Amino acid sequence: MLYDFLNDYRDFFKDDRKVIDSCKLGIGFYVLIKKDLSIEVLNVDSTDNVDINSELYTYFLERKFYSDYIDSNKAIDQSQRINGEKNLMAKKIFSTNPCALFFSSKSIEEFDIDKSKSVPMNTFLKGIDTYFNKLIEVKDGKDKESRELLSYMSGYSENISKYEYIYEKAREIFKSNFPEIIKTLKEKYNIKKECRINVFLEEDINTYSFTSSLYTCQNIFNKNNFNIKYENSVYGQNGYNNNFSDKKVFLELKSTPFKVSSRISIHDIFVLRNMYIWLKNNINPNRLVKIPTNFDFKGDVENENIIGSPIYLISIELDNGNPIISNFEFIPYYTEKIKEFTCTDCFNSKLKNIDFTISKRNELQEKVDEIWFSNRLVSMYSDPKRLADDKEIPLWKKRIIKNNKNKFIDFFYRLDERALNQDLDKIAFEICKNTLLDSFLRKENKNKDKKDSKNKKDNSEENKNKNLLNTYAALKCINLWIAFDSYFGGDFKMKKNNIYNEAKEIILNNGEISNDEEYYFFIGQVARYFINMSKAEKKTHMLINPLLNTKSREKVVNAISKMREKYSYDLNVDNRRFNNILKQIYTYESQTIENVLSKYILVGFLDDNLFYIKKEESREE
């Protein structure tokens, strides 16, 4: 599948210029040593606070593309040992081109940032010497396999003599100008923290491109000792998305007559490398991104309005700064359009931000992520470790995301509604139940905060109505559940409204409960009535928890009995409405052998409490 993606966009990825134009300079200092040995500095202190259309920005962007290492394990070795004790210059220089010198400010003692990782100026200058000695080895091919790869490089034999002079010339320019560059950066920009410093020689782009390819072609395969020649080309092991190493024997293929699962040609792997550079610079890590097969690579791929197109569904992770494709699949038909999804306030709560109508898949996903998952679902699709480390959301929400993320991926990306439809009630009930229980804990924490800041006012929407203080988030969650049920063709909304109207008639006329849905609705109503009677500032969630976490009717009735005992001191013995319902809760015989209908307990708890309803004038008469 990866090669299908590569082949579909080959014309784009084989063009270095197009890939370069899709990249941006990272934060850091960019220094140009001109032909007259004067220097010019571009300070990129923010990727948003720089003119990306300026001539200097473009100049650095092009040359940086041809100067970066493939990964940190393939950096040019400049290590030194003084008195055989310390490897002072290990991986201090990040560039791979004789015309460029990349390093970190913390590596130079003069900046005084991290003494444990910095070296004196003289030591760094010796490291520059070692760096160029290694580059000269690379230029000539450091071993048999490398020299063979160079022979297959287009234009190598014709151009190698043309650019040989650049190595010694660049060495002298960098060494002689290095102290002055450090002094300028220190005095003019007052560098006090770690940052990247990228120094370039003023040379044409062809010089950068050719000298870069000498390093790249020898290091682009994972290991050159697996290379084979076939039909006038060299094929080697693809190191992208492949952690195989002959030093890690547990990764070696044991059940096959070959050690390497696949190989790629020297020409294709350059195109593949450009593809990974583009992915790193244009795809947000750990987000599922839809790339249509007709994508023109202009603009932001995540904002593409896709209607009826085949797409690739991709997510990447960064491993030590290098992109790894963690999810990859082809979806032959994708559209953002969905049938109209309408969410309304089914509980007459008069709270804002509940009603909405949506007809686009990505907009619905944003709403679901916000209301149900605290904006964690989308960002956690492909990053279980990040989800596990997140301390700002409760464990129950992490568990729901982990166990059900594929159902949401099916719905929002693969256009397959079956899994979410089948498990909607189970998922949504857990979300609504735990959101309600959490609201009691938030109420408790707010009461603690009030003692510390008596004059601090909270004017949030959910606090304007004291009766809804603990149920605002749960109401939003359950309204979204009802909206999903209606979208899938369910009748939850109609049942809920019918039960409410029937329950209202029972209350007003001291009638009898006629079915299980009404019975469990009244369980929720009675529980809310008891909790509202509490005069305690701290209304513990332990009162409602047993009702929502049991499948035994006996335990539900026991929980109601405990509430009755707890609040018996405040019960009005002449309250005929309440006494009528409480009596039926104890005596009603279930018409089915179904488990406890917990979702109707939840609905009854969150809905308007009918024990406070006033009779209409006609009924009073």
Side-chain angles (χ1 to χ4, degrees), residues 221 223 226-228 234-238 262-266:
F221 288 128
K223 288 286 183 179
F226 296 114
N227 295 354
I228 59 173
V234 174
Y235 290 78
Q237 185 193 17
N238 171 19
S262 66
R263 290 182 173 87
I264 186 172
S265 74
I266 184 67

Side-chain angles (χ1 to χ4, degrees), residues 153-165:
M153 197 180 94
S154 177
Y156 173 74
S157 56
E158 296 87 346
N159 290 307
I160 186 62
S161 58
K162 178 181 176 181
Y163 293 105
E164 275 192 311
Y165 77 95

Side-chain angles (χ1 to χ4, degrees), residues 198-213:
N198 311 277
V199 187
F200 300 85
L201 295 187
E202 186 179 6
E203 294 289 344
D204 64 79
I205 197 64
N206 291 330
T207 303
Y208 274 87
S209 175
F210 179 78
T211 51
S212 167
S213 62

Side-chain angles (χ1 to χ4, degrees), residues 353-485:
N353 303 322
I354 287 182
D355 294 2
F356 60 86
T357 299
I358 283 174
S359 57
K360 286 189 177 180
R361 201 171 297 274
N362 62 329
E363 292 176 5
L364 178 57
Q365 181 175 235
E366 289 175 5
K367 280 290 185 183
V368 171
D369 202 0
E370 173 197 344
I371 295 171
W372 277 359
F373 298 110
S374 307
N375 295 313
R376 296 302 199 283
L377 178 67
V378 175
S379 61
M380 301 299 185
Y381 274 145
S382 305
D383 194 354
K385 184 179 184 304
R386 185 179 167 200
L387 177 63
D389 293 341
D390 193 326
K391 299 188 186 313
E392 295 185 7
I393 60 171
L395 289 174
W396 65 263
K397 199 167 287 190
K398 293 181 183 181
R399 184 184 66 251
I400 292 174
I401 293 174
K402 180 181 177 181
N403 294 341
N404 299 285
K405 66 177 183 179
N406 284 329
K407 297 181 180 70
F408 289 98
I409 292 173
D410 283 347
F411 180 83
F412 289 115
Y413 295 94
R414 301 185 183 114
L415 283 66
D416 186 349
E417 301 177 351
R418 291 171 297 178
L420 183 59
N421 187 4
Q422 182 177 343
D423 289 340
L424 174 66
D425 282 1
K426 179 181 176 184
I427 296 169
F429 176 76
E430 283 298 309
I431 292 170
C432 296
K433 177 191 74 174
N434 285 291
T435 301
L436 177 62
L437 298 180
D438 279 358
S439 70
F440 283 93
L441 299 176
R442 286 196 295 273
K443 165 67 172 166
E444 180 182 346
N445 291 333
K446 283 181 181 178
N447 288 333
K448 290 179 181 178
D449 293 340
K450 283 180 181 178
K451 294 177 182 178
D452 298 330
S453 53
K454 292 181 180 179
N455 297 324
K456 192 174 181 180
K457 293 183 179 179
D458 188 348
N459 295 318
S460 59
E461 183 68 31
E462 62 264 44
N463 287 332
K464 289 179 181 178
N465 188 332
K466 186 177 180 181
N467 191 43
L468 297 174
L469 179 64
N470 290 327
T471 60
Y472 176 74
L475 280 167
K476 292 187 74 173
C477 289
I478 197 168
N479 276 300
L480 182 58
W481 175 7
I482 293 171
F484 258 112
D485 182 81

Side-chain angles (χ1 to χ4, degrees), residues 434-600:
N434 285 291
T435 301
L436 177 62
L437 298 180
D438 279 358
S439 70
F440 283 93
L441 299 176
R442 286 196 295 273
K443 165 67 172 166
E444 180 182 346
N445 291 333
K446 283 181 181 178
N447 288 333
K448 290 179 181 178
D449 293 340
K450 283 180 181 178
K451 294 177 182 178
D452 298 330
S453 53
K454 292 181 180 179
N455 297 324
K456 192 174 181 180
K457 293 183 179 179
D458 188 348
N459 295 318
S460 59
E461 183 68 31
E462 62 264 44
N463 287 332
K464 289 179 181 178
N465 188 332
K466 186 177 180 181
N467 191 43
L468 297 174
L469 179 64
N470 290 327
T471 60
Y472 176 74
L475 280 167
K476 292 187 74 173
C477 289
I478 197 168
N479 276 300
L480 182 58
W481 175 7
I482 293 171
F484 258 112
D485 182 81
S486 297
Y487 179 86
F488 289 137
D491 58 359
F492 188 13
K493 181 177 182 179
M494 182 183 70
K495 277 189 174 182
K496 179 262 172 199
N497 290 336
N498 287 343
I499 291 168
Y500 179 83
N501 290 330
E502 290 164 3
K504 186 176 179 182
E505 290 297 318
I506 293 171
I507 286 288
L508 293 173
N509 298 307
N510 287 322
E512 293 186 0
I513 296 172
S514 60
N515 57 60
D516 288 358
E517 286 86 354
E518 290 176 5
Y519 176 77
Y520 288 109
F521 177 86
F522 273 119
I523 292 284
Q525 289 271 295
V526 168
R528 183 64 181 271
Y529 183 74
F530 278 133
I531 290 175
N532 285 346
M533 290 171 73
S534 172
K535 294 181 173 60
E537 271 192 33
K538 177 181 174 182
K539 298 187 179 184
T540 173
H541 70 287
M542 295 306 294
L543 295 172
I544 185 68
N545 198 30
L547 297 175
L548 299 176
N549 282 321
T550 181
K551 296 298 181 184
S552 165
R553 185 189 166 202
E554 182 181 352
K555 290 182 179 179
V556 168
V557 174
N558 287 340
I560 293 294
S561 296
K562 289 180 180 179
M563 289 185 188
R564 183 178 180 278
E565 291 174 11
K566 183 176 179 67
Y567 298 112
S568 59
Y569 65 90
D570 207 27
L571 281 176
N572 186 347
V573 293
D574 294 328
N575 189 335
R576 288 184 298 168
R577 292 177 180 177
F578 184 78
N579 291 340
N580 173 47
I581 299 301
L582 190 61
K583 176 183 176 182
Q584 292 186 66
I585 284 175
Y586 291 135
T587 60
Y588 176 80
E589 293 185 7
S590 177
Q591 297 176 342
T592 70
I593 57 172
E594 259 188 288
N595 287 332
V596 172
L597 302 180
S598 301
K599 76 176 184 179
Y600 291 107

Side-chain angles (χ1 to χ4, degrees), residues 98 129 132-133 136 164-173:
D129 258 333
F132 276 93
N133 291 339
I136 291 171
E164 275 192 311
Y165 77 95
I166 199 71
Y167 290 84
E168 291 303 330
K169 174 188 172 183
R171 186 205 301 258
E172 292 306 315
I173 292 176

